[in-house]
Amino acid sequence: MKDQLHPAPPEAEPSVVNRQRVAILNAGAQYIKNIDINVRRLGVESVILPMNTPARELSGYGAIIISGGPESVYADDAPEYDPAIFDLDTPMLGICYGMQLMAHASGGDVGSASGEYGSSAITVELDSLLFTGLEPDQEVLMSHGDTVMIVPMGF
């Protein structure tokens, strides 16, 4: 069995993209295996990698997910990452901390919130391919102290 937390880098040449392979960057989420399991349930191979995986090792993946985590993007002990990951021409999804990191690294503003914990109702805009097959009204779980205050240009 392959080591899911520290697998070998993709075997494909960097210019060859395996669209059926997703890299999940672990920013410390306690639910990292849930992300992995749900991606695999969709029939897509996924590999959990450390947050500081170099961008050159991610270029062969069809998509990247950056997980949540307990830190703020402004914390001294925030997970280290290779800023070049944001220069890759690869679709990327940020969950909680991952979304905040993407916004912060792209010129948006992340600020402190009063903290949101537990379940919450949201309405999903169904005009995105990302949400194909979902009902518009969803129940989600939240556990964070920061929020994206200003969305970066182009997001």
Side-chain angles (χ1 to χ4, degrees):
M1 181 176 194
K2 291 182 181 176
D3 179 358
Q4 290 297 310
L5 292 177
H6 302 96
E11 295 173 14
E13 293 293 321
S15 61
V16 176
V17 175
N18 181 345
R19 299 240 178 252
Q20 291 300 308
R21 182 185 237 183
V22 173
I24 303 170
L25 298 182
N26 187 358
Q30 59 190 22
Y31 51 81
I32 193 76
K33 288 303 292 177
N34 288 344
I35 297 170
D36 182 49
I37 288 166
N38 282 293
V39 169
R40 289 171 182 266
R41 282 186 182 147
L42 295 171
V44 178
E45 178 185 353
S46 58
V47 178
I48 299 171
L49 298 169
M51 187 65 210
N52 63 352
T53 300
R56 70 181 177 281
E57 293 181 24
L58 299 170
S59 63
Y61 288 92
I64 298 169
I65 297 173
I66 303 174
S67 80
E71 300 302 330
S72 167
V73 295
Y74 298 111
D76 291 337
D77 56 352
E80 293 183 22
Y81 68 98
D82 180 353
I85 64 174
F86 298 116
D87 296 329
L88 296 171
D89 188 25
T90 304
M92 197 172 293
L93 171 67
I95 300 173
C96 196
Y97 175 86
M99 174 193 62
Q100 296 161 12
L101 177 64
M102 290 171 62
H104 176 69
S106 301
D109 185 34
V110 175
S112 237
S114 59
E116 298 177 295
Y117 303 95
S119 64
S120 183
I122 65 167
T123 300
V124 176
E125 294 182 21
L126 299 178
D127 59 344
S128 169
L129 290 175
L130 182 63
F131 303 121
T132 299
L134 292 180
E135 294 296 322
D137 297 320
Q138 296 287 318
E139 193 75 17
V140 297
L141 294 175
M142 296 190 295
S143 176
H144 57 269
D146 285 349
T147 188
V148 175
M149 307 295 274
I150 299 174
V151 178
M153 295 294 291
F155 274 59

Coordinates of all heavy atoms in Angstrom, one line a residue, residues 47-143:
V47 N -3.9 12.3 -3.8 CA -2.7 12.1 -3.0 C -2.6 13.3 -2.0 O -2.7 14.4 -2.4 CB -1.5 12.1 -3.9 CG1 -0.2 11.9 -3.1 CG2 -1.6 11.0 -5.0
I48 N -2.5 12.9 -0.8 CA -2.3 13.9 0.3 C -0.8 14.2 0.4 O 0.1 13.3 0.5 CB -2.8 13.4 1.6 CG1 -4.3 13.1 1.6 CG2 -2.5 14.4 2.7 CD1 -4.8 12.4 2.8
L49 N -0.4 15.5 0.2 CA 0.9 16.0 0.3 C 1.1 17.0 1.3 O 0.2 17.7 1.7 CB 1.3 16.6 -1.1 CG 1.3 15.6 -2.3 CD1 1.4 16.4 -3.6 CD2 2.3 14.5 -2.2
P50 N 2.4 17.2 1.8 CA 2.6 18.3 2.8 C 2.3 19.7 2.1 O 2.5 19.9 0.9 CB 4.1 18.2 3.1 CG 4.5 16.8 2.6 CD 3.6 16.4 1.5
M51 N 1.9 20.6 3.0 CA 1.6 22.0 2.5 C 2.8 22.6 1.8 O 2.7 23.4 0.8 CB 1.2 22.8 3.7 CG 0.7 24.2 3.3 SD -0.8 24.1 2.3 CE -0.6 25.6 1.4
N52 N 4.0 22.3 2.2 CA 5.2 22.9 1.6 C 5.8 22.2 0.4 O 6.9 22.4 0.0 CB 6.3 23.1 2.7 CG 6.8 21.8 3.2 OD1 6.3 20.7 2.9 ND2 7.8 21.8 4.0
T53 N 5.0 21.3 -0.2 CA 5.4 20.6 -1.5 C 5.8 21.6 -2.5 O 5.0 22.6 -2.8 CB 4.3 19.7 -2.0 OG1 3.9 18.7 -1.0 CG2 4.7 19.0 -3.3
P54 N 6.9 21.5 -3.1 CA 7.4 22.5 -4.2 C 6.4 22.5 -5.4 O 5.9 21.4 -5.8 CB 8.8 22.0 -4.6 CG 9.2 21.2 -3.4 CD 8.0 20.5 -2.8
A55 N 6.2 23.6 -6.0 CA 5.3 23.8 -7.1 C 5.7 22.8 -8.2 O 4.8 22.3 -8.9 CB 5.3 25.2 -7.6
R56 N 7.0 22.7 -8.5 CA 7.4 21.8 -9.6 C 6.9 20.4 -9.4 O 6.7 19.7 -10.4 CB 9.0 21.8 -9.7 CG 9.7 21.2 -8.6 CD 11.3 21.3 -8.8 NE 11.9 20.6 -7.7 CZ 12.1 21.2 -6.5 NH1 11.7 22.4 -6.3 NH2 12.7 20.6 -5.5
E57 N 6.7 19.9 -8.2 CA 6.2 18.6 -7.9 C 4.7 18.5 -8.1 O 4.1 17.4 -8.2 CB 6.6 18.1 -6.5 CG 8.0 17.9 -6.4 CD 8.4 17.4 -5.0 OE1 7.5 16.8 -4.3 OE2 9.6 17.6 -4.6
L58 N 4.0 19.6 -8.2 CA 2.6 19.7 -8.4 C 2.1 19.9 -9.8 O 0.9 19.8 -10.1 CB 2.0 20.8 -7.5 CG 2.2 20.7 -6.0 CD1 1.8 21.9 -5.3 CD2 1.5 19.4 -5.5
S59 N 3.1 20.2 -10.7 CA 2.7 20.6 -12.1 C 2.1 19.4 -12.9 O 1.4 19.7 -13.9 CB 3.9 21.1 -12.8 OG 4.9 20.1 -12.9
G60 N 2.2 18.2 -12.5 CA 1.6 17.1 -13.2 C 0.2 16.7 -12.7 O -0.4 15.8 -13.3
Y61 N -0.3 17.4 -11.8 CA -1.7 17.1 -11.3 C -2.7 17.9 -12.1 O -2.5 19.0 -12.5 CB -1.8 17.4 -9.8 CG -1.0 16.5 -8.9 CD1 0.3 16.7 -8.6 CD2 -1.6 15.3 -8.5 CE1 1.0 15.8 -7.8 CE2 -0.9 14.4 -7.7 CZ 0.4 14.6 -7.4 OH 1.1 13.8 -6.6
G62 N -3.9 17.3 -12.2 CA -5.0 18.0 -12.9 C -5.7 19.1 -12.0 O -6.4 19.9 -12.6
A63 N -5.5 19.0 -10.7 CA -6.1 20.0 -9.8 C -5.4 19.9 -8.5 O -4.7 18.9 -8.2 CB -7.6 19.7 -9.6
I64 N -5.5 21.0 -7.7 CA -5.0 21.1 -6.4 C -6.0 21.5 -5.4 O -6.8 22.4 -5.7 CB -3.8 22.1 -6.3 CG1 -2.7 21.6 -7.3 CG2 -3.3 22.3 -4.9 CD1 -1.6 22.7 -7.5
I65 N -6.1 20.8 -4.3 CA -7.0 21.3 -3.2 C -6.1 21.7 -2.0 O -5.2 20.9 -1.6 CB -7.9 20.1 -2.7 CG1 -8.9 19.8 -3.9 CG2 -8.7 20.6 -1.5 CD1 -9.7 18.5 -3.6
I66 N -6.3 22.8 -1.4 CA -5.6 23.3 -0.2 C -6.6 23.1 0.9 O -7.6 23.8 0.9 CB -5.0 24.7 -0.3 CG1 -4.1 24.9 -1.5 CG2 -4.3 25.1 1.0 CD1 -3.7 26.3 -1.8
S67 N -6.2 22.3 1.9 CA -7.1 22.0 3.0 C -7.2 23.2 4.0 O -6.5 24.2 3.9 CB -6.7 20.8 3.8 OG -5.6 21.1 4.7
G68 N -8.1 23.0 4.9 CA -8.2 24.0 6.0 C -7.1 23.7 7.0 O -6.3 22.7 6.8
G69 N -7.1 24.4 8.1 CA -6.2 24.2 9.1 C -6.5 25.2 10.3 O -7.2 26.1 10.1
P70 N -5.8 25.0 11.4 CA -6.1 25.8 12.6 C -5.5 27.2 12.6 O -5.8 28.0 13.5 CB -5.6 24.9 13.7 CG -4.4 24.2 13.1 CD -4.9 23.9 11.7
E71 N -4.6 27.5 11.7 CA -3.8 28.7 11.8 C -4.5 29.9 11.0 O -5.3 29.6 10.1 CB -2.4 28.5 11.3 CG -1.6 27.5 12.1 CD -1.5 27.8 13.6 OE1 -1.5 29.0 14.0 OE2 -1.4 26.8 14.4
S72 N -4.0 31.1 11.3 CA -4.4 32.3 10.5 C -3.3 32.4 9.5 O -2.1 32.1 9.7 CB -4.4 33.5 11.4 OG -4.4 34.7 10.6
V73 N -3.6 33.0 8.3 CA -2.6 33.3 7.3 C -1.5 34.3 7.8 O -0.4 34.4 7.3 CB -3.2 33.8 6.0 CG1 -4.0 32.7 5.3 CG2 -3.9 35.1 6.2
Y74 N -1.9 35.0 8.9 CA -0.9 36.0 9.5 C -0.1 35.4 10.6 O 0.8 36.1 11.1 CB -1.7 37.2 10.0 CG -2.5 37.9 8.8 CD1 -3.8 37.9 8.8 CD2 -1.8 38.6 7.9 CE1 -4.5 38.6 7.8 CE2 -2.4 39.3 6.8 CZ -3.8 39.2 6.8 OH -4.5 39.9 5.8
A75 N -0.4 34.2 11.1 CA 0.3 33.7 12.2 C 1.8 33.4 11.9 O 2.1 33.0 10.8 CB -0.4 32.4 12.7
D76 N 2.6 33.5 12.9 CA 4.0 33.2 12.7 C 4.3 31.7 12.4 O 5.2 31.4 11.7 CB 4.8 33.6 14.0 CG 4.9 35.1 14.2 OD1 4.8 35.8 13.2 OD2 5.2 35.5 15.3
D77 N 3.4 30.9 12.9 CA 3.5 29.4 12.7 C 2.5 28.9 11.7 O 2.2 27.7 11.6 CB 3.4 28.7 14.0 CG 2.0 29.0 14.7 OD1 1.3 29.9 14.3 OD2 1.7 28.3 15.7
A78 N 2.1 29.8 10.8 CA 1.2 29.4 9.6 C 2.0 28.4 8.8 O 3.2 28.5 8.7 CB 0.8 30.6 8.8
P79 N 1.3 27.4 8.2 CA 2.0 26.4 7.4 C 2.8 27.1 6.2 O 2.3 28.0 5.6 CB 0.8 25.6 6.8 CG -0.3 25.8 7.7 CD -0.1 27.2 8.2
E80 N 4.0 26.6 6.1 CA 4.9 27.1 5.0 C 4.4 26.5 3.7 O 3.9 25.4 3.6 CB 6.3 26.7 5.2 CG 6.9 27.4 6.4 CD 8.4 27.0 6.6 OE1 9.0 26.6 5.6 OE2 8.8 27.2 7.7
Y81 N 4.5 27.3 2.6 CA 4.1 26.8 1.3 C 5.0 27.5 0.2 O 5.7 28.5 0.5 CB 2.6 27.2 1.0 CG 2.4 28.7 0.9 CD1 2.3 29.3 -0.4 CD2 2.2 29.5 2.0 CE1 2.1 30.6 -0.5 CE2 2.0 30.9 1.9 CZ 1.9 31.4 0.6 OH 1.7 32.8 0.5
D82 N 5.0 26.9 -1.0 CA 5.8 27.5 -2.1 C 4.9 28.5 -2.8 O 3.9 28.1 -3.4 CB 6.2 26.3 -3.0 CG 7.0 26.8 -4.2 OD1 7.2 28.0 -4.4 OD2 7.5 25.9 -5.0
P83 N 5.2 29.8 -2.8 CA 4.3 30.7 -3.4 C 4.1 30.5 -4.9 O 3.1 30.9 -5.5 CB 5.0 32.1 -3.2 CG 5.9 31.8 -2.0 CD 6.3 30.4 -2.1
A84 N 5.1 29.7 -5.5 CA 5.0 29.4 -7.0 C 3.8 28.6 -7.3 O 3.4 28.4 -8.5 CB 6.3 28.8 -7.5
I85 N 3.1 27.9 -6.3 CA 1.9 27.1 -6.6 C 0.9 28.0 -7.2 O 0.1 27.5 -8.0 CB 1.4 26.3 -5.4 CG1 0.9 27.3 -4.3 CG2 2.4 25.4 -4.8 CD1 0.2 26.6 -3.1
F86 N 0.8 29.3 -6.9 CA -0.2 30.1 -7.4 C 0.1 30.6 -8.8 O -0.7 31.3 -9.5 CB -0.5 31.3 -6.5 CG -0.9 30.8 -5.1 CD1 -0.2 31.1 -4.0 CD2 -2.2 30.2 -5.0 CE1 -0.6 30.6 -2.8 CE2 -2.6 29.7 -3.8 CZ -1.8 30.0 -2.7
D87 N 1.3 30.3 -9.3 CA 1.7 30.6 -10.7 C 1.4 29.4 -11.7 O 1.5 29.5 -12.9 CB 3.1 30.9 -10.8 CG 3.5 32.2 -10.1 OD1 2.6 33.1 -10.0 OD2 4.6 32.3 -9.6
L88 N 1.0 28.2 -11.1 CA 0.7 27.1 -11.9 C -0.6 27.3 -12.6 O -1.5 27.9 -12.1 CB 0.6 25.8 -11.0 CG 1.9 25.4 -10.3 CD1 1.5 24.2 -9.3 CD2 2.9 24.9 -11.3
D89 N -0.7 26.7 -13.8 CA -1.9 26.8 -14.6 C -2.8 25.6 -14.3 O -3.0 24.7 -15.1 CB -1.6 26.9 -16.1 CG -2.9 27.2 -16.9 OD1 -3.8 27.7 -16.4 OD2 -2.9 26.8 -18.1
T90 N -3.1 25.5 -13.0 CA -3.8 24.3 -12.5 C -5.0 24.7 -11.7 O -4.9 25.6 -10.8 CB -2.9 23.5 -11.6 OG1 -1.7 23.1 -12.3 CG2 -3.5 22.2 -11.1
P91 N -6.2 24.2 -11.9 CA -7.4 24.5 -11.1 C -7.1 24.3 -9.7 O -6.5 23.3 -9.3 CB -8.5 23.6 -11.6 CG -8.1 23.2 -13.0 CD -6.6 23.2 -13.0
M92 N -7.6 25.2 -8.8 CA -7.3 25.1 -7.4 C -8.5 25.4 -6.6 O -9.3 26.3 -6.9 CB -6.2 26.1 -7.0 CG -5.5 25.8 -5.8 SD -4.0 26.9 -5.6 CE -2.9 26.4 -6.9
L93 N -8.7 24.6 -5.5 CA -9.8 24.8 -4.6 C -9.2 24.9 -3.2 O -8.5 24.1 -2.7 CB -10.8 23.6 -4.6 CG -11.9 23.6 -3.5 CD1 -12.9 24.7 -3.7 CD2 -12.6 22.2 -3.5
G94 N -9.6 26.0 -2.5 CA -9.2 26.2 -1.1 C -10.3 26.0 -0.2 O -11.4 26.6 -0.4
I95 N -10.1 25.2 0.8 CA -11.2 25.0 1.8 C -10.7 25.7 3.1 O -9.7 25.4 3.7 CB -11.3 23.5 2.0 CG1 -11.8 22.8 0.7 CG2 -12.3 23.2 3.2 CD1 -11.8 21.3 0.8
C96 N -11.6 26.6 3.6 CA -11.3 27.3 4.9 C -9.9 28.0 4.8 O -9.8 28.9 4.1 CB -11.5 26.4 6.1 SG -11.6 27.3 7.6
Y97 N -9.0 27.5 5.6 CA -7.6 28.1 5.6 C -7.1 28.2 4.1 O -6.5 29.2 3.7 CB -6.7 27.4 6.5 CG -5.2 27.9 6.4 CD1 -4.8 28.9 7.2 CD2 -4.3 27.4 5.5 CE1 -3.6 29.5 7.1 CE2 -3.0 27.9 5.4 CZ -2.7 28.9 6.2 OH -1.4 29.4 6.1
G98 N -7.3 27.2 3.3 CA -6.9 27.1 2.0 C -7.4 28.3 1.2 O -6.7 28.9 0.4
M99 N -8.7 28.6 1.3 CA -9.4 29.7 0.7 C -8.8 31.0 1.1 O -8.5 31.9 0.3 CB -10.9 29.7 0.9 CG -11.6 30.9 0.3 SD -13.3 31.1 0.9 CE -13.0 31.3 2.7
Q100 N -8.6 31.1 2.5 CA -8.0 32.3 3.0 C -6.6 32.5 2.5 O -6.2 33.7 2.1 CB -8.0 32.3 4.5 CG -9.4 32.2 5.1 CD -9.5 31.7 6.5 OE1 -8.5 31.6 7.2 NE2 -10.7 31.4 7.0
L101 N -5.8 31.5 2.4 CA -4.4 31.6 1.9 C -4.4 32.0 0.4 O -3.7 32.9 0.0 CB -3.7 30.2 2.0 CG -2.3 30.2 1.4 CD1 -1.4 31.2 2.2 CD2 -1.7 28.8 1.5
M102 N -5.3 31.4 -0.4 CA -5.4 31.8 -1.8 C -5.7 33.3 -1.9 O -5.1 34.0 -2.7 CB -6.5 31.0 -2.5 CG -6.0 29.5 -2.7 SD -7.4 28.5 -3.3 CE -7.7 29.2 -4.9
A103 N -6.7 33.8 -1.1 CA -7.1 35.2 -1.2 C -6.0 36.1 -0.8 O -5.6 37.1 -1.4 CB -8.3 35.4 -0.3
H104 N -5.3 35.7 0.3 CA -4.2 36.5 0.9 C -3.1 36.6 -0.1 O -2.5 37.7 -0.4 CB -3.8 35.9 2.2 CG -2.6 36.6 2.8 ND1 -2.7 37.9 3.3 CD2 -1.3 36.2 3.0 CE1 -1.5 38.2 3.8 NE2 -0.6 37.2 3.6
A105 N -2.7 35.5 -0.7 CA -1.6 35.4 -1.6 C -1.8 36.1 -2.9 O -0.9 36.5 -3.6 CB -1.2 34.0 -1.9
S106 N -3.1 36.3 -3.2 CA -3.5 36.9 -4.5 C -3.9 38.4 -4.4 O -4.5 38.9 -5.3 CB -4.7 36.1 -5.1 OG -4.2 34.8 -5.3
G107 N -3.7 39.0 -3.2 CA -3.9 40.4 -3.0 C -5.3 40.7 -2.4 O -5.6 41.9 -2.3
G108 N -6.0 39.7 -1.9 CA -7.2 40.0 -1.2 C -6.9 40.3 0.3 O -5.7 40.4 0.7
D109 N -7.9 40.5 1.0 CA -7.7 40.9 2.5 C -8.4 39.8 3.3 O -9.6 39.5 3.1 CB -8.3 42.3 2.7 CG -8.1 42.7 4.1 OD1 -7.0 42.4 4.7 OD2 -8.9 43.4 4.7
V110 N -7.7 39.3 4.3 CA -8.2 38.3 5.2 C -8.2 39.0 6.6 O -7.2 39.6 7.0 CB -7.3 37.0 5.2 CG1 -7.8 36.1 6.3 CG2 -7.4 36.3 3.8
G111 N -9.3 38.9 7.3 CA -9.3 39.5 8.6 C -9.9 38.6 9.6 O -10.5 37.6 9.3
S112 N -9.8 39.1 10.8 CA -10.3 38.3 12.0 C -11.9 38.4 12.0 O -12.4 39.5 11.8 CB -9.8 38.9 13.3 OG -9.1 37.9 14.0
A113 N -12.5 37.3 12.3 CA -13.9 37.3 12.4 C -14.2 36.9 13.9 O -13.3 36.5 14.6 CB -14.5 36.2 11.5
S114 N -15.5 37.0 14.2 CA -15.8 36.7 15.6 C -15.8 35.2 15.9 O -15.9 34.8 17.0 CB -17.2 37.2 15.9 OG -18.2 36.7 15.0
G115 N -15.6 34.4 14.8 CA -15.5 33.0 14.9 C -16.8 32.4 14.6 O -17.9 32.8 15.1
E116 N -16.8 31.4 13.8 CA -18.1 30.7 13.4 C -17.8 29.2 13.6 O -16.8 28.7 13.1 CB -18.4 31.0 11.9 CG -18.7 32.4 11.6 CD -18.9 32.7 10.1 OE1 -18.0 32.4 9.3 OE2 -20.0 33.0 9.8
Y117 N -18.7 28.6 14.4 CA -18.5 27.2 14.8 C -19.8 26.5 14.7 O -20.8 27.0 15.1 CB -17.9 27.1 16.2 CG -16.6 27.9 16.3 CD1 -16.5 29.2 16.8 CD2 -15.4 27.3 15.9 CE1 -15.3 29.9 16.9 CE2 -14.2 28.0 16.0 CZ -14.2 29.3 16.5 OH -13.0 30.0 16.5
G118 N -19.8 25.3 14.2 CA -21.0 24.5 14.1 C -21.6 24.5 12.7 O -21.0 24.9 11.8
S119 N -22.9 24.2 12.6 CA -23.5 24.1 11.3 C -24.1 25.4 11.0 O -24.5 26.2 11.8 CB -24.6 23.0 11.3 OG -25.6 23.3 12.2
S120 N -24.3 25.6 9.6 CA -24.8 26.8 9.1 C -25.5 26.5 7.8 O -25.0 25.6 7.1 CB -23.7 27.9 8.9 OG -24.3 29.1 8.4
A121 N -26.5 27.2 7.4 CA -27.2 27.0 6.1 C -26.6 28.0 5.1 O -26.4 29.2 5.4 CB -28.7 27.3 6.3
I122 N -26.3 27.5 3.9 CA -25.9 28.3 2.8 C -26.7 28.1 1.6 O -27.3 27.0 1.5 CB -24.4 28.1 2.5 CG1 -24.1 26.7 2.0 CG2 -23.5 28.4 3.7 CD1 -22.7 26.5 1.4
T123 N -26.6 29.0 0.6 CA -27.3 28.8 -0.7 C -26.2 28.8 -1.7 O -25.4 29.7 -1.8 CB -28.3 29.9 -1.0 OG1 -29.3 29.9 0.1 CG2 -28.9 29.7 -2.3
V124 N -26.1 27.7 -2.5 CA -25.1 27.6 -3.5 C -25.6 28.1 -4.8 O -26.7 27.9 -5.2 CB -24.7 26.0 -3.6 CG1 -23.7 25.8 -4.7 CG2 -24.3 25.5 -2.3
E125 N -24.7 28.9 -5.5 CA -25.0 29.4 -6.8 C -24.7 28.3 -7.8 O -23.6 27.9 -8.0 CB -24.2 30.6 -7.2 CG -24.6 31.8 -6.3 CD -23.8 33.1 -6.6 OE1 -23.3 33.2 -7.8 OE2 -23.7 33.9 -5.8
L126 N -25.7 27.7 -8.4 CA -25.6 26.5 -9.2 C -25.1 26.8 -10.7 O -25.0 25.8 -11.4 CB -27.0 25.8 -9.3 CG -27.5 25.4 -7.9 CD1 -28.9 24.7 -8.1 CD2 -26.5 24.4 -7.2
D127 N -24.7 28.0 -11.0 CA -24.2 28.2 -12.4 C -22.8 27.9 -12.5 O -22.2 28.1 -13.5 CB -24.5 29.7 -12.8 CG -23.8 30.7 -11.8 OD1 -23.4 30.3 -10.7 OD2 -23.7 31.9 -12.2
S128 N -22.2 27.3 -11.5 CA -20.8 26.8 -11.5 C -20.7 25.3 -11.7 O -21.4 24.6 -11.1 CB -20.1 27.2 -10.2 OG -18.8 26.6 -10.2
L129 N -19.8 24.9 -12.6 CA -19.5 23.4 -12.8 C -19.2 22.8 -11.5 O -19.4 21.6 -11.3 CB -18.5 23.2 -13.8 CG -18.8 23.5 -15.3 CD1 -17.6 23.4 -16.2 CD2 -20.0 22.7 -15.7
L130 N -18.5 23.5 -10.6 CA -18.1 22.9 -9.3 C -19.3 22.4 -8.5 O -19.1 21.4 -7.8 CB -17.4 24.0 -8.5 CG -16.8 23.7 -7.1 CD1 -15.7 22.6 -7.3 CD2 -16.3 24.9 -6.4
F131 N -20.5 23.0 -8.7 CA -21.6 22.6 -7.9 C -22.7 21.8 -8.6 O -23.8 21.6 -8.2 CB -22.3 23.8 -7.2 CG -21.3 24.6 -6.4 CD1 -21.0 25.9 -6.7 CD2 -20.6 24.0 -5.3 CE1 -20.1 26.7 -5.9 CE2 -19.7 24.8 -4.6 CZ -19.5 26.1 -4.9
T132 N -22.3 21.3 -9.8 CA -23.2 20.5 -10.6 C -23.8 19.3 -9.8 O -23.0 18.6 -9.1 CB -22.5 19.9 -11.8 OG1 -22.0 21.0 -12.6 CG2 -23.4 19.0 -12.7
G133 N -25.1 19.1 -9.8 CA -25.7 18.0 -9.1 C -26.1 18.3 -7.7 O -26.8 17.5 -7.0
L134 N -25.8 19.5 -7.1 CA -26.1 19.9 -5.8 C -27.5 20.6 -5.7 O -27.9 21.2 -6.7 CB -25.1 20.8 -5.2 CG -23.7 20.2 -4.9 CD1 -22.8 21.3 -4.2 CD2 -23.8 19.0 -3.9
E135 N -28.1 20.5 -4.6 CA -29.3 21.3 -4.4 C -28.8 22.7 -3.9 O -27.8 22.8 -3.4 CB -30.1 20.6 -3.2 CG -30.7 19.3 -3.6 CD -31.8 19.4 -4.7 OE1 -32.5 20.4 -4.7 OE2 -31.8 18.5 -5.6
P136 N -29.6 23.7 -4.2 CA -29.1 25.1 -3.9 C -29.0 25.3 -2.4 O -28.1 26.0 -1.9 CB -30.2 26.0 -4.5 CG -31.3 25.1 -4.8 CD -30.9 23.7 -4.9
D137 N -29.8 24.7 -1.5 CA -29.7 24.9 -0.1 C -28.9 23.8 0.5 O -29.2 22.6 0.4 CB -31.1 24.9 0.5 CG -31.9 26.1 0.0 OD1 -31.3 27.2 -0.1 OD2 -33.1 26.0 -0.2
Q138 N -27.8 24.1 1.2 CA -26.9 23.2 1.8 C -26.7 23.5 3.3 O -26.7 24.6 3.7 CB -25.5 23.2 1.1 CG -25.6 22.8 -0.4 CD -25.8 21.3 -0.5 OE1 -25.2 20.5 0.2 NE2 -26.7 20.9 -1.4
E139 N -26.4 22.4 4.0 CA -26.0 22.6 5.4 C -24.5 22.3 5.5 O -24.0 21.3 4.9 CB -26.7 21.6 6.3 CG -26.6 21.8 7.8 CD -27.5 23.0 8.3 OE1 -28.4 23.4 7.6 OE2 -27.2 23.4 9.4
V140 N -23.7 23.3 6.1 CA -22.2 23.1 6.1 C -21.8 23.2 7.6 O -22.5 23.8 8.4 CB -21.5 24.2 5.2 CG1 -21.9 24.0 3.8 CG2 -21.9 25.6 5.7
L141 N -20.6 22.7 7.8 CA -20.0 22.9 9.1 C -18.8 23.9 9.0 O -18.1 23.9 8.1 CB -19.4 21.5 9.6 CG -20.4 20.4 9.9 CD1 -19.7 19.1 10.2 CD2 -21.4 20.8 11.0
M142 N -18.8 24.8 10.0 CA -17.7 25.8 10.0 C -17.0 25.8 11.4 O -17.6 25.5 12.4 CB -18.3 27.2 9.8 CG -19.0 27.3 8.4 SD -19.5 28.9 8.0 CE -20.7 29.3 9.2
S143 N -15.7 26.1 11.3 CA -14.9 26.2 12.5 C -13.7 27.1 12.1 O -12.7 26.6 11.7 CB -14.4 24.8 12.9 OG -13.5 25.0 14.0

